[in-house]
Amino acid sequence: MTAEAGLPDTLRDLPTWTPDARELADMELVLAGVYRPLTGFLGSFDTAMVIAGGRLADGTPWPVPVTLAVPKELTDHERIVLQDPEGVPLAVLQVVERWQDPTTNAWQLAGPLEALRAPAHGPFHRLRRRPDEVEPGAGPLLAVATGDPLHRKQLGQLRQVAEGLGARVLVLPLLSGAHDESLVRAVLGVRKELPEGTQIIPVPLPARGDAPDRDILLHAHVAAAYGATHLLAEREVEGTAIPVAVPEPWAYDADVEVWRPVARIEPDHVQAELTPERLGELLDAGEPVPDWFTPPAVAAELALARPPKRSRGITVLFTGLSGSGKSTVARGLADALVERGGRTVTLLDGDVVRRLLSAGLTFSRADRDANVRRIGFVAAEITRHGGAAICAPIAPYAATRAEVRRMVSAAGDFVLVHVATPLEECERRDRKGLYAKARAGLIPEFTGISDPYEAPDDADLTLDTSRLTPDDAVARVLDLLVEGGWVRPE
Ligand code: ADP
Protein backbone atom coordinates (compact mmCIF):
# COMPACT_ATOMS: atom_id res chain seq x y z
CA MET A 1 0.00 0.00 0.00
CA THR A 2 1.30 3.45 -0.88
CA ALA A 3 0.52 6.58 1.05
CA GLU A 4 1.91 9.32 -1.20
CA ALA A 5 -0.39 11.91 -2.67
CA GLY A 6 -0.28 11.45 -6.42
CA LEU A 7 -1.64 8.65 -8.54
CA PRO A 8 1.14 6.50 -10.08
CA ASP A 9 1.74 7.28 -13.77
CA THR A 10 0.51 3.87 -14.85
CA LEU A 11 -2.91 4.57 -13.34
CA ARG A 12 -3.40 8.13 -14.50
CA ASP A 13 -5.16 7.16 -17.71
CA LEU A 14 -7.57 4.71 -16.15
CA PRO A 15 -11.23 5.62 -15.87
CA THR A 16 -12.42 6.51 -12.36
CA TRP A 17 -15.63 5.67 -10.58
CA THR A 18 -17.10 6.59 -7.20
CA PRO A 19 -18.99 3.61 -5.77
CA ASP A 20 -22.02 4.23 -3.59
CA ALA A 21 -21.76 4.21 0.20
CA ARG A 22 -22.53 0.49 0.57
CA GLU A 23 -20.02 -0.46 -2.10
CA LEU A 24 -17.34 1.78 -0.58
CA ALA A 25 -17.96 0.16 2.79
CA ASP A 26 -17.64 -3.30 1.25
CA MET A 27 -14.46 -2.23 -0.53
CA GLU A 28 -12.95 -0.96 2.71
CA LEU A 29 -13.73 -4.26 4.43
CA VAL A 30 -12.33 -6.33 1.55
CA LEU A 31 -9.11 -4.29 1.56
CA ALA A 32 -8.82 -4.46 5.34
CA GLY A 33 -9.02 -8.25 5.19
CA VAL A 34 -12.24 -8.24 7.20
CA TYR A 35 -14.07 -9.99 4.36
CA ARG A 36 -11.41 -12.70 3.92
CA PRO A 37 -11.40 -14.87 1.81
CA LEU A 38 -12.96 -12.28 -0.53
CA THR A 39 -10.39 -10.24 -2.45
CA GLY A 40 -12.75 -8.09 -4.48
CA PHE A 41 -16.24 -7.76 -5.89
CA LEU A 42 -18.10 -10.95 -6.75
CA GLY A 43 -19.01 -12.17 -10.22
CA SER A 44 -22.35 -13.44 -11.46
CA PHE A 45 -21.92 -17.09 -10.47
CA ASP A 46 -20.62 -16.40 -6.97
CA THR A 47 -23.39 -13.85 -6.45
CA ALA A 48 -26.11 -16.25 -7.59
CA MET A 49 -24.73 -18.99 -5.34
CA VAL A 50 -24.50 -16.64 -2.35
CA ILE A 51 -28.06 -15.44 -2.81
CA ALA A 52 -29.40 -18.96 -3.31
CA GLY A 53 -27.48 -20.82 -0.64
CA GLY A 54 -25.13 -18.60 1.32
CA ARG A 55 -22.01 -20.08 -0.27
CA LEU A 56 -19.49 -18.98 -2.88
CA ALA A 57 -19.20 -21.09 -6.00
CA ASP A 58 -16.29 -23.02 -4.43
CA GLY A 59 -18.43 -23.93 -1.43
CA THR A 60 -16.98 -21.43 1.06
CA PRO A 61 -19.75 -20.10 3.28
CA TRP A 62 -20.42 -16.43 2.51
CA PRO A 63 -23.62 -14.70 3.59
CA VAL A 64 -24.19 -11.62 1.42
CA PRO A 65 -23.55 -10.48 -2.14
CA VAL A 66 -20.60 -8.08 -2.42
CA THR A 67 -21.09 -6.44 -5.78
CA LEU A 68 -20.25 -3.25 -7.65
CA ALA A 69 -22.72 -1.57 -10.00
CA VAL A 70 -21.38 0.77 -12.69
CA PRO A 71 -22.76 2.61 -15.71
CA LYS A 72 -22.52 0.66 -18.94
CA GLU A 73 -19.74 2.95 -20.30
CA LEU A 74 -17.36 1.59 -17.69
CA THR A 75 -17.79 -2.04 -18.68
CA ASP A 76 -15.27 -2.06 -21.54
CA HIS A 77 -12.20 -1.34 -19.40
CA GLU A 78 -9.70 -3.81 -17.96
CA ARG A 79 -8.96 -1.78 -14.86
CA ILE A 80 -10.71 1.10 -13.18
CA VAL A 81 -9.75 3.36 -10.29
CA LEU A 82 -12.31 3.48 -7.50
CA GLN A 83 -12.41 6.70 -5.54
CA ASP A 84 -14.14 8.13 -2.49
CA PRO A 85 -16.85 10.81 -2.77
CA GLU A 86 -14.21 13.58 -2.65
CA GLY A 87 -12.46 12.05 -5.66
CA VAL A 88 -9.54 10.52 -3.73
CA PRO A 89 -8.45 7.30 -5.47
CA LEU A 90 -8.65 4.37 -3.06
CA ALA A 91 -8.18 1.21 -5.07
CA VAL A 92 -7.79 -0.32 -8.50
CA LEU A 93 -10.27 -2.91 -9.66
CA GLN A 94 -8.89 -5.56 -11.99
CA VAL A 95 -11.97 -6.40 -14.03
CA VAL A 96 -12.40 -10.13 -14.61
CA GLU A 97 -16.11 -10.15 -15.37
CA ARG A 98 -18.74 -7.69 -16.44
CA TRP A 99 -22.27 -8.88 -15.92
CA GLN A 100 -25.84 -7.70 -15.59
CA ASP A 101 -27.88 -8.14 -12.44
CA PRO A 102 -30.72 -10.43 -13.53
CA THR A 103 -33.36 -8.49 -11.58
CA THR A 104 -32.31 -4.86 -12.12
CA ASN A 105 -30.31 -5.28 -15.36
CA ALA A 106 -27.72 -2.94 -13.83
CA TRP A 107 -24.15 -3.58 -15.01
CA GLN A 108 -21.75 -5.02 -12.48
CA LEU A 109 -17.99 -5.38 -12.44
CA ALA A 110 -16.21 -8.20 -10.67
CA GLY A 111 -12.59 -8.77 -9.83
CA PRO A 112 -9.85 -8.36 -7.26
CA LEU A 113 -9.08 -5.02 -5.61
CA GLU A 114 -5.68 -3.53 -5.04
CA ALA A 115 -5.41 -0.81 -2.38
CA LEU A 116 -3.91 2.55 -3.33
CA ARG A 117 -4.28 4.12 0.09
CA ALA A 118 -6.17 3.53 3.27
CA PRO A 119 -9.58 5.18 3.24
CA ALA A 120 -9.47 8.29 5.39
CA HIS A 121 -12.96 9.62 4.98
CA GLY A 122 -15.58 9.82 7.66
CA PRO A 123 -15.57 10.79 11.31
CA PHE A 124 -13.70 8.60 13.79
CA HIS A 125 -11.66 6.97 11.03
CA ARG A 126 -8.71 6.77 13.44
CA LEU A 127 -10.72 4.24 15.45
CA ARG A 128 -11.42 2.16 12.33
CA ARG A 129 -8.48 -0.19 12.70
CA ARG A 130 -7.82 -3.16 10.45
CA PRO A 131 -7.68 -6.59 12.03
CA ASP A 132 -3.91 -6.65 11.54
CA GLU A 133 -3.61 -3.40 13.51
CA VAL A 134 -5.34 -4.85 16.54
CA GLU A 135 -3.25 -6.47 19.29
CA PRO A 136 -4.34 -10.07 19.61
CA GLY A 137 -5.12 -10.85 23.25
CA ALA A 138 -5.27 -14.16 25.02
CA GLY A 139 -8.40 -16.14 25.79
CA PRO A 140 -11.98 -15.74 24.70
CA LEU A 141 -13.14 -12.50 23.08
CA LEU A 142 -16.85 -11.68 23.00
CA ALA A 143 -17.90 -9.33 20.20
CA VAL A 144 -21.09 -7.36 19.88
CA ALA A 145 -21.93 -5.77 16.52
CA THR A 146 -24.53 -3.06 16.89
CA GLY A 147 -26.14 -0.30 14.87
CA ASP A 148 -27.81 1.04 18.03
CA PRO A 149 -26.39 2.51 21.20
CA LEU A 150 -25.94 0.16 24.14
CA HIS A 151 -28.58 0.91 26.72
CA ARG A 152 -28.58 -0.31 30.31
CA LYS A 153 -30.17 -3.63 29.37
CA GLN A 154 -27.65 -4.45 26.62
CA LEU A 155 -24.80 -3.32 28.88
CA GLY A 156 -25.99 -5.65 31.62
CA GLN A 157 -26.44 -8.57 29.27
CA LEU A 158 -23.05 -7.98 27.72
CA ARG A 159 -21.33 -7.92 31.11
CA GLN A 160 -23.14 -11.06 32.20
CA VAL A 161 -22.26 -13.06 29.08
CA ALA A 162 -18.65 -11.81 29.11
CA GLU A 163 -18.30 -12.82 32.74
CA GLY A 164 -19.81 -16.24 32.05
CA LEU A 165 -17.33 -16.84 29.24
CA GLY A 166 -14.42 -15.22 31.04
CA ALA A 167 -14.09 -13.15 27.88
CA ARG A 168 -12.74 -9.75 27.00
CA VAL A 169 -15.16 -7.58 25.03
CA LEU A 170 -15.03 -6.06 21.55
CA VAL A 171 -17.76 -3.62 20.51
CA LEU A 172 -18.21 -3.10 16.78
CA PRO A 173 -20.43 -0.05 16.18
CA LEU A 174 -21.88 -0.58 12.71
CA LEU A 175 -21.69 2.55 10.60
CA SER A 176 -24.59 2.98 8.22
CA GLY A 177 -24.09 6.50 6.89
CA ALA A 178 -26.75 8.08 9.11
CA HIS A 179 -25.86 9.46 12.55
CA ASP A 180 -22.65 7.45 12.63
CA GLU A 181 -20.80 9.95 14.82
CA SER A 182 -23.65 9.86 17.24
CA LEU A 183 -23.56 6.07 17.49
CA VAL A 184 -19.80 6.01 18.04
CA ARG A 185 -20.00 8.78 20.66
CA ALA A 186 -22.84 6.93 22.40
CA VAL A 187 -20.72 3.77 22.61
CA LEU A 188 -17.60 5.67 23.70
CA GLY A 189 -19.78 7.42 26.28
CA VAL A 190 -20.57 4.15 28.08
CA ARG A 191 -16.99 2.94 28.11
CA LYS A 192 -16.83 2.97 31.88
CA GLU A 193 -19.88 0.70 32.06
CA LEU A 194 -18.14 -1.86 29.84
CA PRO A 195 -15.69 -4.44 31.17
CA GLU A 196 -12.15 -3.15 31.55
CA GLY A 197 -10.04 -3.33 28.41
CA THR A 198 -13.04 -3.35 26.08
CA GLN A 199 -12.06 -2.43 22.53
CA ILE A 200 -14.29 -0.29 20.34
CA ILE A 201 -13.79 -0.54 16.58
CA PRO A 202 -16.36 1.07 14.27
CA VAL A 203 -17.01 -0.96 11.12
CA PRO A 204 -18.72 0.38 7.99
CA LEU A 205 -21.45 -2.20 7.71
CA PRO A 206 -24.96 -1.00 6.96
CA ALA A 207 -27.68 -3.55 7.74
CA ARG A 208 -28.82 -5.44 4.66
CA GLY A 209 -32.34 -5.04 5.99
CA ASP A 210 -34.31 -7.81 4.41
CA ALA A 211 -32.17 -10.69 5.68
CA PRO A 212 -31.56 -10.51 9.43
CA ASP A 213 -30.12 -14.05 9.58
CA ARG A 214 -27.56 -13.12 6.96
CA ASP A 215 -26.71 -10.02 8.95
CA ILE A 216 -25.90 -12.22 11.95
CA LEU A 217 -23.79 -14.49 9.73
CA LEU A 218 -21.93 -11.49 8.37
CA HIS A 219 -21.44 -9.98 11.84
CA ALA A 220 -19.99 -13.30 13.03
CA HIS A 221 -17.64 -13.32 10.07
CA VAL A 222 -16.48 -9.75 10.72
CA ALA A 223 -16.11 -10.40 14.45
CA ALA A 224 -14.07 -13.52 13.74
CA ALA A 225 -11.77 -11.50 11.45
CA TYR A 226 -11.07 -9.26 14.46
CA GLY A 227 -10.19 -12.27 16.57
CA ALA A 228 -13.49 -12.69 18.39
CA THR A 229 -14.32 -16.17 19.64
CA HIS A 230 -18.00 -15.46 20.33
CA LEU A 231 -20.66 -13.13 18.99
CA LEU A 232 -23.37 -11.75 21.23
CA ALA A 233 -26.62 -11.86 19.24
CA GLU A 234 -30.31 -12.26 19.92
CA ARG A 235 -30.52 -15.71 18.36
CA GLU A 236 -28.42 -18.48 17.00
CA VAL A 237 -28.15 -18.91 13.26
CA GLU A 238 -26.92 -22.05 11.59
CA GLY A 239 -23.38 -21.88 10.21
CA THR A 240 -21.92 -18.81 11.95
CA ALA A 241 -18.12 -18.46 11.73
CA ILE A 242 -17.95 -18.32 15.55
CA PRO A 243 -20.50 -19.46 18.13
CA VAL A 244 -23.31 -17.09 19.00
CA ALA A 245 -23.87 -16.34 22.68
CA VAL A 246 -27.52 -15.56 23.29
CA PRO A 247 -28.10 -13.59 26.49
CA GLU A 248 -30.93 -14.55 28.79
CA PRO A 249 -33.83 -12.08 28.85
CA TRP A 250 -33.31 -9.08 31.10
CA ALA A 251 -35.74 -6.52 32.48
CA TYR A 252 -35.75 -3.57 34.83
CA ASP A 253 -36.63 -4.46 38.39
CA ALA A 254 -38.64 -1.45 39.50
CA ASP A 255 -38.51 -2.60 43.13
CA VAL A 256 -34.76 -2.46 43.60
CA GLU A 257 -34.17 -0.22 40.57
CA VAL A 258 -31.69 -2.34 38.66
CA TRP A 259 -31.65 -4.26 35.43
CA ARG A 260 -31.26 -8.00 35.83
CA PRO A 261 -32.30 -11.31 34.36
CA VAL A 262 -36.08 -11.60 34.27
CA ALA A 263 -35.85 -14.96 36.02
CA ARG A 264 -34.63 -13.17 39.14
CA ILE A 265 -37.39 -10.56 39.29
CA GLU A 266 -40.75 -10.86 41.03
CA PRO A 267 -43.23 -10.80 38.13
CA ASP A 268 -45.07 -7.71 39.39
CA HIS A 269 -41.82 -5.78 39.71
CA VAL A 270 -40.92 -6.15 36.03
CA GLN A 271 -41.08 -2.73 34.45
CA ALA A 272 -42.58 -2.53 30.95
CA GLU A 273 -40.00 -2.00 28.20
CA LEU A 274 -39.55 1.43 26.67
CA THR A 275 -40.59 0.65 23.09
CA PRO A 276 -38.73 2.27 20.20
CA GLU A 277 -41.98 4.08 19.34
CA ARG A 278 -42.30 5.51 22.86
CA LEU A 279 -38.63 6.49 22.84
CA GLY A 280 -39.21 8.28 19.53
CA GLU A 281 -42.19 10.14 20.99
CA LEU A 282 -40.17 11.29 24.00
CA LEU A 283 -37.38 12.58 21.77
CA ASP A 284 -39.82 14.24 19.36
CA ALA A 285 -41.46 16.05 22.26
CA GLY A 286 -38.13 17.05 23.80
CA GLU A 287 -38.86 15.12 26.97
CA PRO A 288 -36.05 13.47 28.92
CA VAL A 289 -35.20 9.85 28.23
CA PRO A 290 -35.55 8.06 31.56
CA ASP A 291 -32.33 7.27 33.38
CA TRP A 292 -33.47 3.72 34.19
CA PHE A 293 -33.45 3.02 30.46
CA THR A 294 -30.11 4.40 29.33
CA PRO A 295 -27.08 6.21 30.78
CA PRO A 296 -27.11 10.02 30.50
CA ALA A 297 -24.29 10.02 27.91
CA VAL A 298 -26.43 7.89 25.59
CA ALA A 299 -29.57 9.93 26.27
CA ALA A 300 -27.69 13.09 25.28
CA GLU A 301 -26.61 11.51 21.99
CA LEU A 302 -30.12 10.29 21.26
CA ALA A 303 -31.44 13.81 21.72
CA LEU A 304 -28.76 15.23 19.41
CA ALA A 305 -29.46 12.65 16.73
CA ARG A 306 -33.21 13.15 16.94
CA PRO A 307 -33.84 16.66 18.21
CA PRO A 308 -37.28 17.72 19.43
CA LYS A 309 -39.52 18.39 16.46
CA ARG A 310 -39.91 22.01 17.47
CA SER A 311 -36.24 22.63 16.82
CA ARG A 312 -35.60 19.93 14.23
CA GLY A 313 -34.74 21.02 10.71
CA ILE A 314 -37.59 20.86 8.23
CA THR A 315 -38.13 21.47 4.54
CA VAL A 316 -41.56 22.31 3.20
CA LEU A 317 -41.62 21.73 -0.56
CA PHE A 318 -44.51 23.21 -2.50
CA THR A 319 -45.08 21.60 -5.87
CA GLY A 320 -47.65 22.46 -8.54
CA LEU A 321 -48.24 24.08 -11.90
CA SER A 322 -47.05 27.55 -12.72
CA GLY A 323 -49.56 30.02 -11.33
CA SER A 324 -51.06 27.46 -8.94
CA GLY A 325 -50.19 29.67 -5.97
CA LYS A 326 -46.98 28.08 -4.66
CA SER A 327 -45.05 31.33 -4.25
CA THR A 328 -47.97 33.14 -2.71
CA VAL A 329 -48.61 30.44 -0.11
CA ALA A 330 -44.88 29.82 0.50
CA ARG A 331 -44.30 33.52 1.15
CA GLY A 332 -47.32 33.63 3.46
CA LEU A 333 -46.02 30.61 5.35
CA ALA A 334 -42.54 32.10 5.68
CA ASP A 335 -44.01 35.32 7.08
CA ALA A 336 -46.25 33.43 9.50
CA LEU A 337 -43.33 31.37 10.81
CA VAL A 338 -41.14 34.44 11.26
CA GLU A 339 -43.99 36.21 13.08
CA ARG A 340 -44.41 33.28 15.47
CA GLY A 341 -40.69 33.18 16.20
CA GLY A 342 -38.64 30.27 17.44
CA ARG A 343 -37.35 29.21 14.03
CA THR A 344 -34.99 30.50 11.39
CA VAL A 345 -36.70 30.50 8.03
CA THR A 346 -35.25 30.52 4.52
CA LEU A 347 -37.50 30.98 1.51
CA LEU A 348 -35.95 29.35 -1.53
CA ASP A 349 -38.07 30.82 -4.27
CA GLY A 350 -38.29 33.57 -6.81
CA ASP A 351 -35.43 36.01 -7.14
CA VAL A 352 -32.93 34.38 -4.85
CA VAL A 353 -33.20 31.16 -6.80
CA ARG A 354 -33.24 32.73 -10.25
CA ARG A 355 -30.40 35.21 -9.67
CA LEU A 356 -28.08 33.07 -7.56
CA LEU A 357 -28.76 29.37 -7.25
CA SER A 358 -29.97 28.71 -10.75
CA ALA A 359 -28.48 31.58 -12.73
CA GLY A 360 -27.76 30.42 -16.25
CA LEU A 361 -30.22 27.54 -16.27
CA THR A 362 -32.78 27.39 -19.05
CA PHE A 363 -36.28 25.96 -19.04
CA SER A 364 -35.19 22.71 -20.70
CA ARG A 365 -36.23 19.57 -18.92
CA ALA A 366 -32.67 18.86 -17.78
CA ASP A 367 -32.10 22.39 -16.52
CA ARG A 368 -35.39 22.56 -14.66
CA ASP A 369 -34.48 19.28 -13.02
CA ALA A 370 -31.07 20.66 -12.07
CA ASN A 371 -32.85 23.67 -10.56
CA VAL A 372 -34.98 21.45 -8.34
CA ARG A 373 -31.93 19.43 -7.29
CA ARG A 374 -29.98 22.54 -6.36
CA ILE A 375 -32.88 23.83 -4.32
CA GLY A 376 -33.12 20.40 -2.70
CA PHE A 377 -29.43 20.36 -1.84
CA VAL A 378 -29.55 23.77 -0.19
CA ALA A 379 -32.80 22.87 1.59
CA ALA A 380 -31.18 19.70 2.94
CA GLU A 381 -28.26 21.71 4.32
CA ILE A 382 -30.61 24.22 5.94
CA THR A 383 -32.52 21.28 7.40
CA ARG A 384 -29.31 19.65 8.69
CA HIS A 385 -28.57 22.85 10.59
CA GLY A 386 -31.99 22.91 12.21
CA GLY A 387 -33.60 25.59 10.05
CA ALA A 388 -36.85 25.70 8.15
CA ALA A 389 -36.50 25.77 4.36
CA ILE A 390 -39.54 26.66 2.30
CA CYS A 391 -39.24 25.93 -1.40
CA ALA A 392 -41.65 26.55 -4.24
CA PRO A 393 -40.35 25.15 -7.54
CA ILE A 394 -42.81 23.55 -9.97
CA ALA A 395 -40.95 20.25 -9.41
CA PRO A 396 -43.05 18.37 -11.98
CA TYR A 397 -41.19 15.04 -11.91
CA ALA A 398 -41.85 12.47 -9.20
CA ALA A 399 -38.33 11.03 -9.41
CA THR A 400 -36.69 14.39 -8.75
CA ARG A 401 -39.04 15.12 -5.86
CA ALA A 402 -38.18 11.70 -4.44
CA GLU A 403 -34.51 12.58 -4.69
CA VAL A 404 -35.09 15.82 -2.78
CA ARG A 405 -37.10 13.92 -0.18
CA ARG A 406 -34.20 11.49 0.26
CA MET A 407 -31.60 14.24 0.60
CA VAL A 408 -33.68 16.18 3.11
CA SER A 409 -34.83 13.15 5.11
CA ALA A 410 -31.23 12.17 5.78
CA ALA A 411 -30.87 15.54 7.52
CA GLY A 412 -34.28 16.14 9.13
CA ASP A 413 -37.93 16.23 8.21
CA PHE A 414 -39.65 16.73 4.87
CA VAL A 415 -43.18 17.92 4.17
CA LEU A 416 -44.61 17.91 0.66
CA VAL A 417 -47.48 20.25 -0.20
CA HIS A 418 -49.20 19.74 -3.53
CA VAL A 419 -50.76 22.96 -4.74
CA ALA A 420 -53.31 21.25 -6.94
CA THR A 421 -55.03 24.22 -8.52
CA PRO A 422 -56.63 23.07 -11.80
CA LEU A 423 -54.78 23.92 -14.98
CA GLU A 424 -57.72 25.99 -16.31
CA GLU A 425 -57.54 28.24 -13.24
CA CYS A 426 -53.73 28.60 -13.49
CA GLU A 427 -54.06 29.44 -17.16
CA ARG A 428 -56.88 31.88 -16.48
CA ARG A 429 -54.67 33.68 -13.92
CA ASP A 430 -51.68 33.62 -16.27
CA ARG A 431 -49.96 36.15 -14.05
CA LYS A 432 -46.71 36.13 -15.98
CA GLY A 433 -48.21 35.59 -19.43
CA LEU A 434 -46.36 32.28 -19.63
CA TYR A 435 -49.34 30.13 -20.60
CA ALA A 436 -50.13 32.41 -23.54
CA LYS A 437 -46.54 32.12 -24.71
CA ALA A 438 -46.54 28.36 -24.20
CA ARG A 439 -49.78 27.99 -26.17
CA ALA A 440 -48.22 30.05 -28.93
CA GLY A 441 -45.30 27.62 -28.99
CA LEU A 442 -42.83 30.25 -27.77
CA ILE A 443 -41.88 28.25 -24.66
CA PRO A 444 -41.14 24.62 -25.46
CA GLU A 445 -41.65 21.92 -22.82
CA PHE A 446 -43.92 24.05 -20.63
CA THR A 447 -45.34 22.11 -17.67
CA GLY A 448 -49.05 21.39 -18.09
CA ILE A 449 -49.04 22.41 -21.78
CA SER A 450 -46.24 20.64 -23.58
CA ASP A 451 -44.54 18.81 -20.72
CA PRO A 452 -46.11 16.56 -18.09
CA TYR A 453 -46.81 17.40 -14.46
CA GLU A 454 -46.59 14.16 -12.48
CA ALA A 455 -49.06 14.71 -9.63
CA PRO A 456 -47.61 13.42 -6.33
CA ASP A 457 -49.16 10.47 -4.52
CA ASP A 458 -47.03 11.17 -1.44
CA ALA A 459 -48.18 14.71 -0.58
CA ASP A 460 -48.75 15.48 3.10
CA LEU A 461 -51.25 18.14 2.13
CA THR A 462 -53.13 19.04 -1.04
CA LEU A 463 -54.40 22.57 -1.62
CA ASP A 464 -56.65 23.80 -4.40
CA THR A 465 -56.27 27.57 -4.38
CA SER A 466 -59.25 28.01 -6.69
CA ARG A 467 -61.34 27.11 -3.64
CA LEU A 468 -59.30 28.80 -0.90
CA THR A 469 -58.16 32.30 -0.09
CA PRO A 470 -54.39 32.71 0.20
CA ASP A 471 -54.78 33.23 3.97
CA ASP A 472 -56.77 30.02 4.31
CA ALA A 473 -54.20 28.12 2.26
CA VAL A 474 -51.40 29.36 4.53
CA ALA A 475 -53.48 28.47 7.59
CA ARG A 476 -53.86 24.88 6.33
CA VAL A 477 -50.11 24.48 6.03
CA LEU A 478 -49.53 26.04 9.44
CA ASP A 479 -52.09 23.72 11.00
CA LEU A 480 -50.25 20.76 9.52
CA LEU A 481 -46.94 21.98 10.94
CA VAL A 482 -48.46 22.64 14.37
CA GLU A 483 -50.20 19.24 14.44
CA GLY A 484 -46.95 17.58 13.40
CA GLY A 485 -45.16 19.29 16.29
CA TRP A 486 -42.73 21.32 14.15
CA VAL A 487 -44.25 24.67 15.06
CA ARG A 488 -45.50 25.68 18.46
CA PRO A 489 -49.21 26.39 18.73
CA GLU A 490 -50.15 30.01 19.24
P1 ADP B 1 -46.74 29.89 -8.59
O1 ADP B 1 -45.69 30.24 -7.61
O2 ADP B 1 -47.38 28.56 -8.32
O3 ADP B 1 -46.36 30.06 -10.01
P2 ADP B 1 -47.91 32.36 -7.79
O4 ADP B 1 -48.10 32.31 -6.32
O5 ADP B 1 -46.72 33.10 -8.33
O6 ADP B 1 -47.97 30.88 -8.35
O7 ADP B 1 -49.18 32.94 -8.48
C1 ADP B 1 -50.46 32.55 -8.11
C2 ADP B 1 -51.45 33.66 -8.46
O8 ADP B 1 -52.72 33.24 -8.04
C3 ADP B 1 -51.15 34.96 -7.72
O9 ADP B 1 -51.42 36.01 -8.57
C4 ADP B 1 -52.15 34.91 -6.58
O10 ADP B 1 -52.50 36.21 -6.15
C5 ADP B 1 -53.32 34.20 -7.21
N1 ADP B 1 -54.19 33.53 -6.24
C6 ADP B 1 -55.52 33.62 -6.19
N2 ADP B 1 -56.03 32.88 -5.18
C7 ADP B 1 -54.98 32.32 -4.57
C8 ADP B 1 -54.87 31.47 -3.44
N3 ADP B 1 -55.93 31.04 -2.75
N4 ADP B 1 -53.64 31.07 -3.07
C9 ADP B 1 -52.57 31.48 -3.78
N5 ADP B 1 -52.61 32.28 -4.83
C10 ADP B 1 -53.82 32.73 -5.24
Side-chain angles (χ1 to χ4, degrees):
M1 175 166 325
T2 53
E4 62 267 25
L7 203 55
D9 280 348
T10 48
L11 301 178
R12 215 157 271 155
D13 297 330
L14 296 184
T16 58
W17 175 247
T18 304
D20 71 19
R22 205 267 299 147
E23 295 161 338
L24 277 175
D26 281 345
M27 184 169 97
E28 179 174 337
L29 295 176
V30 166
L31 294 174
V34 175
Y35 273 1
R36 242 181 352 231
L38 264 50
T39 56
F41 289 105
L42 298 179
S44 54
F45 191 38
D46 276 329
T47 302
M49 295 290 282
V50 164
I51 291 172
R55 283 176 188 276
L56 300 171
D58 67 5
T60 310
W62 187 261
V64 297
V66 175
T67 53
L68 174 69
V70 294
K72 182 162 192 327
E73 309 83 86
L74 280 179
T75 55
D76 43 10
H77 297 274
E78 301 292 300
R79 300 202 298 164
I80 62 171
V81 171
L82 299 177
Q83 56 188 21
D84 75 8
E86 273 79 56
V88 179
L90 295 179
V92 179
L93 175 72
Q94 187 80 44
V95 180
V96 298
E97 187 192 349
R98 34 311 259 154
W99 55 286
Q100 270 176 294
D101 182 303
T103 41
T104 63
N105 276 337
W107 281 95
Q108 318 281 322
L109 294 182
L113 287 161
E114 185 200 326
L116 292 172
R117 62 169 62 92
H121 53 274
F124 290 116
H125 67 256
R126 65 183 181 283
L127 295 180
R128 283 155 73 164
R129 284 167 298 156
R130 304 155 48 104
D132 59 13
E133 294 167 331
V134 179
E135 290 273 312
L141 178 64
L142 172 67
V144 56
T146 178
D148 293 310
L150 301 172
H151 302 300
R152 293 201 193 276
K153 173 166 115 178
Q154 288 82 17
L155 288 164
Q157 290 176 318
L158 180 56
R159 279 193 304 258
Q160 187 193 25
V161 174
E163 237 163 71
L165 293 168
R168 295 169 295 120
V169 171
L170 167 66
V171 183
L172 304 170
L174 303 177
L175 310 179
S176 65
H179 303 304
D180 287 341
E181 322 75 75
S182 204
L183 171 64
V184 176
R185 280 197 305 265
V187 174
L188 292 173
V190 295
R191 213 168 207 165
K192 62 177 192 303
E193 320 250 349
L194 291 163
E196 212 168 293
T198 292
Q199 304 216 49
I200 297 169
I201 304 178
V203 179
L205 202 69
R208 309 270 160 160
D210 48 344
D213 278 4
R214 300 247 174 152
D215 277 338
I216 292 178
L217 287 163
L218 186 61
H219 296 169
H221 193 96
V222 169
Y226 278 102
T229 55
H230 297 77
L231 177 74
L232 187 78
E234 62 204 22
R235 64 182 182 296
E236 286 182 66
V237 173
E238 174 123 6
T240 44
I242 49 175
V244 168
V246 180
E248 60 177 304
W250 277 48
Y252 185 69
D253 186 333
D255 187 40
V256 286
E257 303 187 345
V258 289
W259 283 88
R260 48 168 144 168
V262 174
R264 283 190 248 149
I265 310 177
E266 300 259 346
D268 51 341
H269 292 160
V270 171
Q271 174 136 325
E273 289 263 356
L274 187 67
T275 60
E277 295 72 35
R278 181 69 195 126
L279 175 61
E281 285 168 10
L282 289 175
L283 294 169
D284 285 352
E287 284 167 30
V289 177
D291 187 76
W292 64 264
F293 172 70
T294 202
V298 177
E301 286 309 327
L302 293 176
L304 277 177
R306 183 162 168 170
K309 276 188 144 185
R310 218 165 281 172
S311 54
R312 187 181 307 165
I314 183 175
T315 289
V316 181
L317 181 76
F318 289 89
T319 171
L321 297 171
S322 175
S324 59
K326 300 180 299 297
S327 294
T328 307
V329 183
R331 217 176 311 123
L333 176 66
D335 290 345
L337 290 181
V338 169
E339 284 168 20
R340 282 185 183 222
R343 273 203 172 268
T344 51
V345 180
T346 300
L347 183 60
L348 291 172
D349 185 38
D351 252 20
V352 57
V353 171
R354 267 190 305 275
R355 273 192 305 110
L356 294 167
L357 258 186
S358 300
L361 293 184
T362 69
F363 282 95
S364 72
R365 191 181 168 130
D367 274 8
R368 281 184 296 141
D369 235 23
N371 178 39
V372 177
R373 264 195 221 103
R374 289 182 193 182
I375 291 172
F377 173 77
V378 175
E381 286 307 307
I382 290 167
T383 303
R384 187 186 319 286
H385 292 276
I390 301 172
C391 325
I394 296 175
Y397 309 124
T400 320
R401 289 192 303 259
E403 208 178 300
V404 173
R405 180 189 282 277
R406 257 195 315 278
M407 280 194 280
V408 172
S409 301
D413 290 337
F414 181 79
V415 168
L416 184 66
V417 180
H418 180 198
V419 186
T421 311
L423 175 64
E424 306 76 63
E425 171 65 13
C426 299
E427 196 165 0
R428 194 190 58 72
R429 291 176 183 168
D430 207 7
R431 224 163 53 92
K432 304 169 195 159
L434 294 173
Y435 283 94
K437 282 191 189 162
R439 290 281 182 203
L442 299 175
I443 309 177
E445 296 181 316
F446 191 80
T447 302
I449 304 295
S450 42
D451 205 59
Y453 177 79
E454 299 169 5
D457 57 12
D458 59 344
D460 299 282
L461 181 65
T462 302
L463 302 171
D464 175 351
T465 67
S466 64
R467 299 153 177 271
L468 286 170
T469 66
D471 283 350
D472 286 341
V474 170
R476 293 273 178 101
V477 186
L478 261 181
D479 284 349
L480 175 77
L481 297 183
V482 171
E483 269 163 36
W486 291 288
V487 173
R488 60 179 174 217
E490 243 172 350

